[in-house]
Protein backbone atom coordinates (compact mmCIF):
# COMPACT_ATOMS: atom_id res chain seq x y z
CA UNK A 1 0.00 0.00 0.00
CA UNK A 2 1.00 3.61 -0.50
CA UNK A 3 -0.38 6.68 1.28
CA UNK A 4 -0.38 10.01 -0.52
CA UNK A 5 -0.29 12.61 2.23
CA UNK A 6 0.42 16.29 2.85
CA UNK A 7 0.12 19.06 5.40
CA UNK A 8 -3.35 19.82 6.72
CA UNK A 9 -5.82 18.41 9.24
CA UNK A 10 -7.31 15.66 7.07
CA UNK A 11 -3.95 14.01 6.36
CA UNK A 12 -3.09 14.39 10.03
CA UNK A 13 -6.22 12.42 10.97
CA UNK A 14 -4.94 9.44 8.99
CA UNK A 15 -1.36 9.77 10.16
CA UNK A 16 -2.41 10.09 13.80
CA UNK A 17 -4.73 7.11 13.41
CA UNK A 18 -1.88 5.06 11.94
CA UNK A 19 0.36 5.86 14.90
CA UNK A 20 -2.38 4.84 17.32
CA UNK A 21 -2.96 1.54 15.49
CA UNK A 22 0.71 0.80 14.87
CA UNK A 23 0.28 0.81 11.09
CA UNK A 24 3.24 1.61 8.85
CA UNK A 25 2.71 2.36 5.17
CA UNK A 26 4.94 3.80 2.47
CA UNK A 27 4.17 7.52 2.18
CA UNK A 28 4.38 9.94 -0.72
CA UNK A 29 4.30 13.63 0.22
CA UNK A 30 2.14 15.85 -1.96
CA UNK A 31 2.93 19.57 -1.97
CA UNK A 32 -0.58 21.00 -1.87
CA UNK A 33 0.76 24.51 -1.34
CA UNK A 34 2.37 24.30 -4.76
CA UNK A 35 -0.75 22.67 -6.20
CA UNK A 36 0.77 19.27 -6.90
CA UNK A 37 -2.56 17.69 -6.00
CA UNK A 38 -4.13 19.52 -8.96
CA UNK A 39 -1.93 18.03 -11.66
CA UNK A 40 -3.29 15.43 -14.06
CA UNK A 41 -1.01 12.69 -12.73
CA UNK A 42 -2.37 12.93 -9.21
CA UNK A 43 -5.97 13.37 -10.35
CA UNK A 44 -5.71 10.04 -12.14
CA UNK A 45 -5.16 8.54 -8.70
CA UNK A 46 -7.68 10.68 -6.84
CA UNK A 47 -10.15 12.56 -9.07
CA UNK A 48 -11.21 14.77 -6.16
CA UNK A 49 -7.63 16.14 -6.14
CA UNK A 50 -7.46 16.05 -2.36
CA UNK A 51 -5.13 14.57 0.24
CA UNK A 52 -4.91 11.99 1.73
CA UNK A 53 -5.38 9.05 -0.61
CA UNK A 54 -4.52 5.42 0.06
CA UNK A 55 -3.62 3.19 -2.89
CA UNK A 56 -4.06 -0.49 -2.10
CA UNK A 57 -1.86 -3.28 -3.36
CA UNK A 58 -4.51 -4.18 -5.96
CA UNK A 59 -4.42 -0.62 -7.33
CA UNK A 60 -7.70 0.53 -5.81
CA UNK A 61 -7.52 4.10 -4.48
CA UNK A 62 -9.38 5.11 -1.31
CA UNK A 63 -9.92 8.79 -0.55
CA UNK A 64 -11.59 10.59 2.40
CA UNK A 65 -9.76 10.42 5.73
CA UNK A 66 -12.42 8.59 7.74
CA UNK A 67 -12.86 6.00 4.99
CA UNK A 68 -9.12 5.36 4.94
CA UNK A 69 -9.06 5.03 8.72
CA UNK A 70 -12.00 2.63 8.66
CA UNK A 71 -10.24 0.45 6.11
CA UNK A 72 -7.02 0.40 8.12
CA UNK A 73 -8.96 -0.32 11.30
CA UNK A 74 -10.55 -3.38 9.73
CA UNK A 75 -7.37 -4.74 8.19
CA UNK A 76 -4.72 -3.98 10.81
CA UNK A 77 -5.77 -6.43 13.49
CA UNK A 78 -5.68 -5.57 17.17
CA UNK A 79 -8.04 -3.33 19.11
CA UNK A 80 -10.37 -1.21 17.02
CA UNK A 81 -10.50 2.57 17.32
CA UNK A 82 -13.96 2.58 15.82
CA UNK A 83 -15.71 -0.07 17.87
CA UNK A 84 -15.75 -3.72 18.84
CA UNK A 85 -19.54 -4.08 18.61
CA UNK A 86 -22.24 -2.79 16.26
CA UNK A 87 -23.34 -0.37 18.97
CA UNK A 88 -19.83 1.02 19.49
CA UNK A 89 -19.25 1.41 15.77
CA UNK A 90 -22.58 3.18 15.39
CA UNK A 91 -21.77 5.52 18.28
CA UNK A 92 -18.40 6.42 16.78
CA UNK A 93 -19.97 6.97 13.37
CA UNK A 94 -22.71 9.15 14.84
CA UNK A 95 -20.22 11.41 16.60
CA UNK A 96 -17.92 11.51 13.62
CA UNK A 97 -20.80 12.74 11.46
CA UNK A 98 -21.94 15.28 14.05
CA UNK A 99 -18.41 16.66 14.41
CA UNK A 100 -17.98 16.82 10.66
CA UNK A 101 -21.19 18.73 10.03
CA UNK A 102 -21.11 21.07 13.01
CA UNK A 103 -17.42 21.94 13.25
CA UNK A 104 -15.09 20.51 10.61
CA UNK A 105 -16.99 21.52 7.49
CA UNK A 106 -17.82 25.10 8.50
CA UNK A 107 -14.31 25.58 9.93
CA UNK A 108 -12.74 24.47 6.67
CA UNK A 109 -15.04 26.54 4.47
CA UNK A 110 -14.57 29.61 6.67
CA UNK A 111 -10.79 29.31 6.38
CA UNK A 112 -10.86 28.82 2.63
CA UNK A 113 -13.14 31.84 2.30
CA UNK A 114 -11.04 34.16 4.47
CA UNK A 115 -7.42 33.63 5.56
CA UNK A 116 -6.94 30.86 3.01
CA UNK A 117 -8.65 32.74 0.18
CA UNK A 118 -5.46 33.51 -1.81
CA UNK A 119 -4.73 29.78 -2.00
CA UNK A 120 -8.23 28.47 -2.60
CA UNK A 121 -10.11 31.10 -4.61
CA UNK A 122 -9.00 29.57 -7.89
CA UNK A 123 -9.19 25.96 -6.70
CA UNK A 124 -12.70 25.52 -5.34
CA UNK A 125 -15.94 27.35 -4.60
CA UNK A 126 -15.49 29.86 -1.78
CA UNK A 127 -17.99 32.24 -0.17
CA UNK A 128 -16.14 35.17 1.43
CA UNK A 129 -19.37 36.93 2.38
CA UNK A 130 -20.30 33.96 4.59
CA UNK A 131 -16.93 33.55 6.34
CA UNK A 132 -17.87 35.45 9.49
CA UNK A 133 -21.11 33.52 9.91
CA UNK A 134 -19.31 30.21 9.39
CA UNK A 135 -16.75 31.16 12.03
CA UNK A 136 -19.56 32.09 14.43
CA UNK A 137 -21.18 28.72 13.76
CA UNK A 138 -17.97 26.92 14.69
CA UNK A 139 -17.65 28.86 17.95
CA UNK A 140 -21.28 28.15 18.85
CA UNK A 141 -20.81 24.46 18.18
CA UNK A 142 -17.68 24.29 20.33
CA UNK A 143 -19.97 25.50 23.11
CA UNK A 144 -22.64 22.95 22.21
CA UNK A 145 -20.09 20.14 22.39
CA UNK A 146 -18.62 21.44 25.66
CA UNK A 147 -21.96 20.96 27.37
CA UNK A 148 -22.14 17.37 26.16
CA UNK A 149 -18.62 16.56 27.35
CA UNK A 150 -19.40 16.96 31.05
CA UNK A 151 -18.19 13.84 32.87
CA UNK A 152 -16.69 12.32 29.73
CA UNK A 153 -13.05 11.53 28.99
CA UNK A 154 -13.51 11.28 25.26
CA UNK A 155 -16.17 11.97 22.66
CA UNK A 156 -17.61 8.47 23.06
CA UNK A 157 -17.41 8.46 26.85
CA UNK A 158 -14.46 6.45 28.12
CA UNK A 159 -13.50 5.12 24.65
CA UNK A 160 -10.79 6.89 22.68
CA UNK A 161 -11.91 6.65 19.05
CA UNK A 162 -11.51 7.92 15.52
CA UNK A 163 -13.94 10.71 16.45
CA UNK A 164 -11.40 12.09 18.93
CA UNK A 165 -8.58 11.93 16.40
CA UNK A 166 -10.73 13.60 13.76
CA UNK A 167 -11.78 16.44 16.04
CA UNK A 168 -8.34 16.93 17.58
CA UNK A 169 -6.62 17.38 14.20
CA UNK A 170 -9.08 20.12 13.27
CA UNK A 171 -9.12 21.73 16.74
CA UNK A 172 -5.34 22.02 16.62
CA UNK A 173 -5.54 23.48 13.12
CA UNK A 174 -8.28 25.79 14.39
CA UNK A 175 -5.84 27.18 16.95
CA UNK A 176 -3.61 28.32 14.10
CA UNK A 177 -6.35 30.11 12.20
CA UNK A 178 -8.36 31.70 15.01
CA UNK A 179 -11.08 29.05 15.16
CA UNK A 180 -9.84 26.97 18.07
CA UNK A 181 -11.72 25.91 21.18
CA UNK A 182 -12.62 29.00 23.26
CA UNK A 183 -10.51 29.26 26.42
CA UNK A 184 -13.56 29.39 28.71
CA UNK A 185 -14.87 25.98 27.61
CA UNK A 186 -13.35 23.91 30.40
CA UNK A 187 -14.64 20.51 29.31
CA UNK A 188 -13.36 20.88 25.77
CA UNK A 189 -10.06 22.37 26.88
CA UNK A 190 -9.53 19.40 29.21
CA UNK A 191 -10.37 17.02 26.36
CA UNK A 192 -7.97 18.84 24.02
CA UNK A 193 -5.13 18.60 26.55
CA UNK A 194 -5.92 14.93 27.19
CA UNK A 195 -5.75 14.00 23.50
CA UNK A 196 -2.83 16.32 22.91
CA UNK A 197 -0.84 14.41 25.51
CA UNK A 198 -1.00 11.19 23.52
CA UNK A 199 2.18 10.17 21.66
CA UNK A 200 0.29 10.12 18.37
CA UNK A 201 -0.46 13.85 18.69
CA UNK A 202 3.19 14.72 19.23
CA UNK A 203 4.33 12.37 16.46
CA UNK A 204 2.13 14.11 13.88
CA UNK A 205 2.53 17.72 15.00
CA UNK A 206 4.06 20.38 12.78
Amino acid sequence: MKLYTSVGPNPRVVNMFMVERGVEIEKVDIDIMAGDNLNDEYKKINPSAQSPCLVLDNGMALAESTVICSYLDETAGGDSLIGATPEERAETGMWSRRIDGKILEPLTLAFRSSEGLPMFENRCRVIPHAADDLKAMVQENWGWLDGLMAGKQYICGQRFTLADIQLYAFADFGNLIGQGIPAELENMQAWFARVGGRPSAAATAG
Side-chain angles (χ1 to χ4, degrees):
M1 292 189 290
K2 184 179 296 185
L3 179 69
Y4 291 84
T5 186
S6 66
V7 297
N10 275 308
R12 189 180 186 189
V13 170
V14 174
N15 282 285
M16 193 170 167
F17 188 90
M18 288 169 56
V19 173
E20 289 282 350
R21 292 291 269 112
V23 174
E24 295 185 4
I25 298 173
E26 178 186 356
K27 295 180 182 179
V28 178
D29 287 325
I30 302 296
D31 188 348
I32 60 171
M33 303 296 289
D36 289 353
N37 56 308
L38 302 175
N39 65 42
D40 291 339
E41 182 179 356
Y42 184 71
K43 286 197 285 188
K44 287 179 182 177
I45 300 169
N46 183 8
S48 66
Q50 296 176 329
S51 170
C53 182
L54 178 66
V55 178
L56 308 184
D57 292 337
N58 64 6
M60 181 180 182
L62 298 177
E64 307 302 330
S65 58
T66 55
V67 172
I68 293 171
C69 290
S70 295
Y71 176 82
L72 295 175
D73 198 68
E74 289 189 29
T75 58
D79 294 334
S80 173
L81 282 178
I82 295 177
T85 66
E87 290 80 9
E88 287 185 351
R89 290 190 290 273
E91 182 184 33
T92 303
M94 174 183 70
W95 278 108
S96 178
R97 185 67 191 97
R98 284 173 171 171
I99 288 166
D100 197 27
K102 288 183 172 292
I103 297 174
L104 276 53
E105 290 181 358
L107 184 153
T108 300
L109 187 52
F111 170 70
R112 290 177 177 177
S113 299
S114 53
E115 293 84 1
L117 187 62
M119 177 178 174
F120 288 100
E121 61 184 340
N122 295 318
R123 298 188 182 193
C124 61
R125 182 75 65 180
V126 292
I127 43 175
H129 61 277
D132 288 344
D133 284 335
L134 289 165
K135 290 178 181 182
M137 182 188 303
V138 172
Q139 296 305 295
E140 289 171 1
N141 286 329
W142 283 130
W144 168 80
L145 188 55
D146 185 76
L148 297 174
M149 285 297 291
K152 296 168 64 174
Q153 292 290 302
Y154 299 109
I155 300 299
C156 292
Q158 303 308 309
R159 289 192 303 125
F160 178 76
T161 69
L162 172 59
D164 295 287
I165 295 173
Q166 187 182 7
L167 185 60
Y168 179 83
F170 278 83
D172 203 27
F173 178 66
N175 285 337
L176 299 176
I177 61 171
Q179 296 191 64
I181 299 167
E184 68 272 16
L185 299 183
E186 295 182 1
N187 294 327
M188 287 306 302
Q189 287 292 344
W191 167 87
F192 184 78
R194 191 174 300 120
V195 179
R198 299 179 73 93
S200 62
T204 56

